[in-house]
Amino acid sequence: MAKAGVAAKARVDRKANIKQKKKFKDRNSIGITKKNVGSAGRYTTRTQAVKKLQVTLKDFRRLCILKGIYPREPKKKFKGGNTTYYFAKDVAFLSHEPLLHKFREQKAFLKKIRRACGRHEKKIAKRLDARRPVRAHEGMVYKLDY
């Protein structure tokens, strides 16, 4: 009888130890990372921006030119001196940009045309090329020099 009581007590102790060894303090702290402070939080590198926006470097440069977003020089260059930095807010602004969706649509459409040409489906390729989407010019930044 005494052995059964000892085994039960050992089991309870083991469960208590497992609860103490939790990775996170509570459910609300799961996935929360330490906030970046200073220039590391305010700036992102060009490579990080391209990865976040999921576009090619060519499209990223085109989008930055059209929206008037320029690279910045942080006080402390946290990734090295030979790196291009952008404001994190500017990259967040670009992520909600309708022009970004237009670029993606255009790229998908060109892929369809290329696929039809590769399969030697000339009629389909010509029909697709005839209804190629036209890029709209609203929402672009125009700088007028007076």
Side-chain angles (χ1 to χ4, degrees), residues 12-135:
V12 170
D13 288 342
R14 252 186 278 129
K15 281 187 180 179
N17 285 342
I18 290 171
K19 284 185 180 178
Q20 288 174 356
K21 291 182 181 178
K22 275 189 175 178
K23 195 172 185 180
F24 300 104
K25 291 176 186 171
D26 58 357
R27 275 193 152 156
N28 296 331
S29 64
I30 294 173
I32 294 175
T33 58
K34 194 163 58 170
K35 287 189 178 181
N36 290 329
V37 181
S39 59
R42 282 193 294 272
Y43 296 93
T44 58
T45 63
R46 185 177 69 190
T47 309
Q48 287 173 339
V50 167
K51 284 180 183 175
K52 185 173 183 180
L53 295 175
Q54 297 177 359
V55 292
T56 60
L57 180 59
K58 185 178 179 182
D59 284 343
F60 177 73
R61 291 178 68 195
R62 188 182 305 153
L63 194 61
C64 286
I65 290 168
L66 291 174
K67 297 309 292 182
I69 292 171
Y70 303 102
R72 308 291 176 163
E73 289 291 323
K75 289 179 183 175
K76 293 183 181 176
K77 297 186 176 184
F78 54 95
K79 290 278 184 177
N82 198 19
T83 313
T84 308
Y85 296 93
Y86 289 89
F87 274 137
K89 281 186 176 181
D90 288 344
V91 176
F93 165 74
L94 285 178
S95 66
H96 302 292
E97 187 56 44
L99 275 175
L100 190 64
H101 300 297
K102 293 286 182 188
F103 283 163
R104 287 185 181 141
E105 285 175 16
Q106 196 173 14
K107 210 161 225 166
F109 199 80
L110 289 173
K111 204 183 287 184
K112 288 178 188 176
I113 294 173
R114 238 182 280 126
R115 183 175 56 217
C117 287
R119 291 178 177 173
H120 302 292
E121 297 170 343
K122 300 294 180 192
K123 276 187 177 178
I124 296 172
K126 281 184 181 177
R127 192 183 69 221
L128 283 170
D129 198 34
R131 63 181 193 90
R132 180 183 293 220
V134 180
R135 188 182 302 157

